[in-house]
């Protein structure tokens, strides 16, 4: 039906407009409304998985420098933590630890006197007399020089214009939803005026601003200027210009000579300056306190990339500082604290485990600095801060010239230029001396925890994919409520391939044994007996597999032999990969048990190989089970990454661990939980079908619920009326009578921790789980189908999944893995704000871009664009749910009305011996797509609401009506087919027989109804012609279809008194209170149909034409035949009675979840009146 395509496009366009018009998704601060860039608005109501970036998506992407670590000391005050460990501060020892953290922290400006490493904050006022250490100076120079920030002039409008604009904003800020009525130019001027009143925070010179590629770089440069006085003045062809007031060690000629000839390395300088042994010409701040300008020559820039995860610049110091070539580098700790990249890391573990002190003070200083940085990185990450490690490398002239030659060759290369530049960057970024680490805060956006909580209640699973450290990602997970304090975390961290695979395999076996993965149990894999019904379904599945394989074979032949001739190499490769994925999916669908056997067998082999290694024997305890001993259900003590470094550092500072336990030890003891279930009993569960006590009684299900119920919960008997009698009686107890509480808790498995029932009836399945994945560990698993399915099986048992340190490619692969192994394929949604999220957004079914501070790459590649993550709640729960409900009804209705039209013609063809005689007039038939409820259906699909916005927000679980296919399923379609057949037979057989055998003929001269025409025509009261006969049935069909449109409209937005009003307290005004569906039915359908019949006969009177046969038909039909009006009441009424009866019966005995919630909302409205 062509009307379906036209109407669907109209409905889709209106839905897209609604997204942009929604004031609840308008961000007034940036003047950014939501926008729909694609027509897949209905897919928003089917989302089951959300893949989200963190930085800029969950956070504001507004970076602020908070803390740093230099020379083993931390500078900057601690940030409040959201992790569950912080909640344990009632313990006195924990309070002492927190106080200790605050006492050990120093103000940021204290870094300028970093030479006093052992000094306390009491002598901070006298820091100007202290020396600046090598690490402190290089740390500040890396912050101010190693970047790509550009200094630009601040384009500020005139004061008068900005003042006028500000006044206009004050006048219009009370408009509807805060939408500004100003022009964009005036709005920009007002914002600039407002910004000038605020204190400048980026640290740029007066009249200039900093433009950074990323907010992290901008935060570092701003902190170097505001906090430490190392201000970036600009950059040009001569190099980078900075201004600083602190003295430099490079002003000492002896130090410069030693650096050039290699006798003074960065490690030696750091050790000597830390112990105040600089040399003969000591330099203090008092000697050079006035700001001076410096120009550092930029020799080469190795830009940041996702593989190296760091950037570096080769510079030459100013002539007054000796013209020393140096390499400044900064990057993630996982990329910087590596053996080979950082000098001294290889000996760190050996020295950390050794109690022997080194004889060299330089080595001790280096060791203390690295230990301090390692401990502080863990501390920063637990506070949810983004960390970077800074390093330097002193270059000789010979090595500089040699490397620059390689760099120029790579930069001027035509082929594989990027690979060659990466190779030379790897070559020079070795042997770095770590000078410190930075910690930058990226605050959460408003409403993120609440939004994630509601999406979780809606049944949507959230995967957070980020490039941050594991500890940072976990801390953000707690603050956003992705993770809960009582959740057990399984952390798959970087390590040897064997250990990573073993951890996944043991976690898989644990889930199998506790019953979380019944499909992988032996009872499911080896079960061969089938019932008669299952045998029949198996035969159909075999036919389906054979059919799919034939289609895939033909597609492969057509692609390789025919289509290849005009496809490009890239397109041909893409088509072949897609065809291979289809073949793999077909193999899994043929018999999923085969693949599951492979997964379980591989898991057992991995575990067996792990324990066969003698090096792993110490990990096993006497009472452990081989297949699960490495993993447990204990809520883990997360954030212990820096435990060994901190304890070793404290030991070397003279603190004894035996006197006072460490913070990590206290946290671990506070969260310890005894493993109180039997592994052998769990092993036996793997061999027998899972059985658990259910609070529902399947015997209470009726045959109608099993056969006709659309909702799965109703069909499976999970309503209140299906509860067990004992459980139902316990729920019916008075609130004060708690006798049945223990029985309810035991039945639900929600006994309180610490109670006797909890300790004796512990159920491992009740443990809430979260999965933490590191990108370095995923490289051992991804691209292997069996290992991928093993990983997904573990992830499917987790409520939350966080992947940290993942590259853009790994983000797309994780999303692809979910689409590959979930049956049926779920609708996935990806949301991000940067270019590194484009691959993930394009791989998902629905892509959402956040218009943030990292450009428009994500928005340009997305289907929808929003300004804040919290708007995802309205986009999915409101627009997504309504859109899918509306479009489902519209599509089903169009098939219904067209099927009803054709079916009446088929019934008539039996009477005319299939001669091809049409029942309806051709011109009357042509307007059916307009008057036959097209406009009423369009209005219904645009304005209908089954549940109000407020109710959906308070009960987000109603969103599951979309993923559960409540509105568009086989059972729903069968209902429409049945009611279509009933309406067709009712309309035809209650219209045609009364007009046969003289039923439409009258003996009156003028007819039973008066002839109001001035012309006297003999036989005006007679009927029985094909035009009269067919048009009468056609009119009755139009009335039935339009009444059906009213019945399918769930909300009586069909008019709410008073309809036309703008008074307060009367809803949202007349646009939302007008009876659109009623207007469509009465004016655009019924009345337009009658008006068309009269116009049709008038046009026919003008002369011979195709309209001529209909002359006087309307007068006969409507003016002179009372039977026409009698049948127009009888047939539609009987047809609608059948429909109403069916709806009432289904709503009473097997309602859908949406119907139940609609009744609850109606009761709430009744109580509130």
């Amino acid at each position: 039906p062509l009307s379906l395509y036209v109407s669907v496009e109209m409905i889709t366009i209106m839905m897209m407009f609604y997204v942009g018009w929604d004031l609840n998704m308008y961000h007034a601060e940036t003047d950014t409304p939501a926008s729909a860039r694609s027509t897949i608005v209905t897919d928003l109501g089917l989302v089951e998985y959300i893949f989200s970036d963190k930085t800029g998506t969950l956070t504001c992407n507004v970076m602020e420098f908070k803390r740093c670590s230099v020379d083993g000391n931390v500078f900057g005050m601690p940030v409040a933590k959201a992790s569950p460990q912080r909640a344990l501060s009632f313990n006195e020892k924990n309070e002492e630890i927190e106080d200790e953290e605050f006492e050990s922290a120093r103000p940021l400006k204290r870094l300028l006197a970093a030479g006093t490493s052992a000094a306390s904050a009491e002598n901070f006022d006298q820091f100007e007399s202290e020396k600046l250490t090598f690490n402190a100076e290089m740390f500040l120079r890396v912050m101010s020089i190693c970047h790509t920030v550009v200094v630009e002039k601040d384009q500020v409008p005139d004061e008068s214009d900005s003042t006028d604009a500000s006044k206009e904003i004050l006048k219009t800020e009370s408009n509807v939803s805060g939408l500004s009525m100003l022009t964009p130019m005036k709005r920009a001027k007002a914002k600039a005026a407002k910004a000038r009143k605020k204190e400048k925070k980026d640290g740029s010179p007066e009249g200039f601003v900093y433009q950074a590629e990323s907010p992290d770089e901008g935060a570092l440069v701003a902190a170097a200027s505001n906090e430490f006085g190392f201000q970036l003045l600009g950059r040009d062809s001569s190099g980078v210009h900075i201004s600083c007031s602190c003295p430099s060690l490079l002003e000492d000629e002896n130090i410069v000579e030693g650096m050039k000839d290699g006798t003074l390395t960065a490690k030696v300088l750091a050790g000597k300056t830390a112990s105040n042994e600089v040399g003969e010409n000591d330099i203090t701040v008092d000697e050079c306190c006035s700001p001076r300008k410096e120009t550092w020559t930029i020799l080469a820039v190795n830009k940041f990339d996702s593989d190296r995860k760091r950037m570096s610049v080769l510079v030459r110091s100013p002539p007054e500082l000796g013209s020393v070539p140096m390499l400044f580098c900064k990057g993630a700790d996982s990329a910087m604290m590596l053996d080979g990249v950082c000098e001294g890391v290889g000996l760190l573990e050996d020295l950390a485990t050794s109690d022997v002190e080194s004889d060299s003070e330089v080595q001790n200083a280096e060791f203390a600095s690295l230990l301090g940085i390692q401990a502080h990185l863990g501390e920063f990450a637990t506070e949810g801060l983004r960390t970077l490690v800074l390093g330097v490398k002193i270059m000789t002239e010979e090595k500089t010239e040699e490397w620059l030659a390689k760099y120029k060759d790579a930069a001027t290369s035509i082929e594989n230029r990027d690979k060659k530049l990466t190779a030379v960057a790897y070559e020079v970024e070795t042997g770095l001396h770590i000078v410190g680490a930075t910690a930058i805060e990226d605050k959460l956006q408003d409403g993120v925890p609440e939004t994630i909580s509601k999406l979780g209640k809606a049944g949507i699973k959230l995967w957070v994919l980020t490039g941050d450290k594991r500890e940072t990602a976990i801390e953000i997970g707690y603050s956003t409520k992705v993770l809960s304090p009582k959740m057990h975390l399984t952390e798959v961290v970087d390590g040897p391939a064997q250990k990573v695979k073993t951890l996944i395999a043991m976690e898989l076996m644990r889930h199998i044994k506790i019953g979380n993965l019944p499909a992988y149990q032996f009872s499911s894999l080896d079960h061969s007996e089938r019932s008669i019904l299952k045998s029949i379904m198996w035969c159909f599945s075999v036919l389906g597999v054979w059919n799919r394989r034939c289609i895939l074979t033909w597609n492969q032949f057509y692609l390789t032999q025919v289509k290849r001739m005009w496809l490009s190499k890239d397109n041909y490769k893409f088509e072949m990969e897609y065809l291979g994925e289809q073949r793999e999916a077909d193999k899994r669908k043929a018999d999923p048990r085969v693949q599951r056997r492979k997964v379980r067998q591989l898991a057992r082999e991995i575990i067996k190989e792990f324990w066969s290694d003698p090096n792993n024997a110490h990990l096993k305890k006497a009472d452990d089970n081989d297949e699960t001993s490495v993993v447990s259900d204990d809520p883990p003590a997360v954030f212990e990454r820096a435990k060994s470094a901190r304890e070793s550092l404290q030991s070397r500072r003279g603190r004894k661990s035996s006197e006072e336990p460490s913070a990590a030890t206290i946290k671990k003891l506070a969260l310890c939980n005894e493993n109180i279930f039997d592994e052998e009993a769990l092993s036996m569960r793997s061999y027998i079908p899972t059985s658990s006590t259910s609070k529902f009684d399947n015997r209470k299900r009726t045959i109608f619920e099993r056969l006709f119920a659309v909702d799965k919960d109703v069909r499976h008997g999970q309503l209140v009326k299906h509860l067990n009698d004992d459980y139902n009686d316990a729920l019916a107890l008075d609130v004060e009578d708690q006798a049945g509480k223990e029985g309810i808790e035991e039945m639900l498995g929600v006994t309180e921790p610490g109670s006797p029932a909890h300790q004796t009836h512990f159920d491992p399945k009740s443990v809430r789980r979260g999965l933490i994945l590191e990108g370095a560990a995923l490289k051992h698993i991804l691209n292997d189908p069996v290992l991928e399915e093993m990983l997904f099986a573990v992830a499917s048992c987790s409520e939350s999944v966080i992947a940290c340190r993942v590259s853009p490619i790994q983000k797309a692969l994780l999303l692809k893995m979910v689409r590959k192994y979930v049956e049926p394929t779920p609708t996935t949604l990806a949301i991000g704000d940067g270019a590194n999220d484009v691959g993930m957004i394009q791989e998902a079914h629905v892509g959402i871009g956040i218009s943030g501070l990292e450009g428009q790459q994500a928005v340009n590649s997305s289907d929808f664009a929003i300004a804040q993550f919290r708007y995802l709640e309205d986009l999915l729960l409101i627009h997504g749910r309504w859109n899918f409900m509306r479009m489902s009804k519209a599509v089903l209705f169009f098939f219904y009305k067209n099927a009803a039209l054709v079916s009446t013609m088929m019934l008539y063809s039996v009477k005319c011996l299939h001669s091809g005689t049409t029942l309806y007039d051709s011109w009357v038939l042509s307007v059916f797509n307009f008057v036959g409820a097209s406009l009423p259906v369009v209005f219904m699909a645009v304005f209908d609401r089954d549940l109000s916005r407020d109710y959906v927000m308070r009960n987000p679980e109603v969103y599951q009506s979309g993923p559960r296919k409540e509105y568009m399923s086989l059972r729903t379609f069968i209902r429409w087919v049945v009611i279509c057949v009933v309406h067709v037979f009712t309309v035809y057989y209650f219209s045609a027989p009364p007009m046969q055998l003289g039923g439409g003929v009258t003996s009156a001269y003028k007819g039973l109804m008066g002839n109001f025409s001035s012309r006297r025509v003999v036989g005006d009261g007679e009927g029985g012609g094909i035009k009269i006969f067919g048009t009468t049935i056609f009119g009755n069909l139009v009335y039935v279809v339009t009444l059906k449109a009213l019945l399918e409209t769930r909300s009586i937005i069909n008019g709410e008194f008073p309809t036309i009003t703008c008074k307060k307290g009367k809803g949202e005004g007349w646009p939302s209170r007008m009876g659109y569906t009623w207007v469509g039915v009465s004016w655009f359908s019924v009345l337009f149909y009658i008006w068309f019949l009269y116009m049709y006969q008038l046009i026919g009177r003008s002369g011979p034409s195709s309209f001529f046969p209909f002359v006087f038909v309307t007068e006969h039909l409507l003016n002179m035949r009372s039977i026409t009006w009698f049948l127009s009441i009888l047939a539609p009424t009987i047809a609608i009675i059948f429909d109403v009866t069916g709806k009432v019966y289904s709503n009473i005995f097997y309602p859908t979840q949406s119907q139940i919630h609609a009744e609850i909302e109606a009761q709430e409205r009744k109580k509130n009146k």
Side-chain angles (χ1 to χ4, degrees), residues 634-863:
D634 302 339
V638 295
F639 312 128
E640 294 188 37
R641 181 182 180 90
K643 175 183 177 181
S644 60
R646 186 181 296 109
E647 291 184 350
S648 178
L649 189 63
Q650 292 174 354
S651 175
R652 289 177 174 271
R653 288 177 176 176
R655 298 181 55 181
K656 297 182 180 180
S657 301
S658 59
E659 296 177 357
E660 182 180 1
S662 63
T665 304
I666 295 176
K667 293 177 180 180
K668 184 175 181 179
L669 292 174
L671 289 177
C672 183
N673 185 22
E674 185 181 359
N675 190 4
I676 53 177
F677 61 91
D678 188 7
E679 289 284 358
E680 295 183 1
L682 292 182
S683 299
M684 293 301 297
R685 290 188 186 183
S686 181
Y687 293 90
I688 59 176
T690 56
S691 62
S692 58
T693 303
S694 175
K695 58 181 177 291
F696 298 104
D697 188 356
N698 290 330
R699 294 174 297 179
K700 293 186 177 183
R701 287 192 299 166
T702 64
I703 187 65
F704 295 103
E705 291 174 344
R706 300 186 184 189
L707 294 178
F708 304 118
V710 174
D711 192 274
K712 292 182 179 180
D713 291 338
V714 179
R715 191 162 63 250
H716 296 161
Q718 296 181 358
L719 296 181
V720 175
K721 65 180 182 179
H722 300 128
L723 290 172
N724 287 326
D725 294 335
D726 296 337
Y727 188 85
N728 204 9
D729 294 341
L731 289 178
L733 293 175
D734 188 77
V735 178
E736 298 179 358
D737 185 5
Q738 299 294 324
K741 181 179 179 182
E742 183 178 352
I744 295 176
E745 291 178 345
E746 182 178 355
M747 200 173 299
L748 289 176
V750 292
T751 51
E752 297 180 359
S755 63
H758 175 75
Q759 296 178 2
T760 57
H761 301 286
F762 176 74
D763 184 10
K765 293 178 65 175
S766 65
V767 177
R768 302 180 62 191
R769 298 175 182 273
L771 182 63
I772 311 297
L773 302 172
E774 276 196 354
L778 289 175
K779 65 183 179 182
H780 304 305
I781 301 173
L782 297 179
N783 297 321
D784 187 326
V786 181
L787 290 175
E788 282 183 357
E789 185 168 353
M790 188 185 302
L791 174 63
F792 176 75
V794 174
S796 63
C797 299
S798 305
E799 295 186 16
S800 303
V801 179
I802 297 179
C804 51
R805 290 299 190 200
V806 290
S807 63
I809 297 177
Q810 288 177 328
K811 291 183 179 181
L813 289 177
L814 286 173
L815 193 151
K816 188 176 181 180
M817 181 183 69
V818 172
R819 295 182 57 179
K820 183 177 180 180
Y821 294 106
V822 178
E823 294 293 341
T825 303
T827 301
T828 57
L829 182 147
I831 180 171
D833 70 318
N836 59 336
D837 304 318
V838 171
M840 176 180 65
I841 290 174
Q842 293 179 340
E843 186 67 30
H845 294 94
V846 181
I848 297 182
I850 291 184
S851 51
L853 302 177
E854 294 191 11
Q856 297 294 311
Q857 295 94 330
V859 172
N860 294 335
S861 303
S862 64
D863 302 304

Side-chain angles (χ1 to χ4, degrees), residues 67 78-89 94 97-98 101-102 375-385 441 471 474-476 478-480 638-640 646 663-664 667:
R67 311 185 74 185
V79 179
K81 302 178 183 179
S83 59
Q85 285 78 357
R86 183 60 65 173
L88 302 173
S89 59
N94 283 346
I97 294 172
E98 292 177 5
E101 291 179 358
F102 278 91
H376 297 153
L377 284 173
E379 181 182 345
F380 297 159
T382 60
E383 298 172 1
L385 303 179
E441 183 182 22
E471 293 85 353
I474 294 175
E475 174 67 18
I476 294 296
Y478 282 114
S479 59
T480 57
V638 295
F639 312 128
E640 294 188 37
R646 186 181 296 109
K667 293 177 180 180

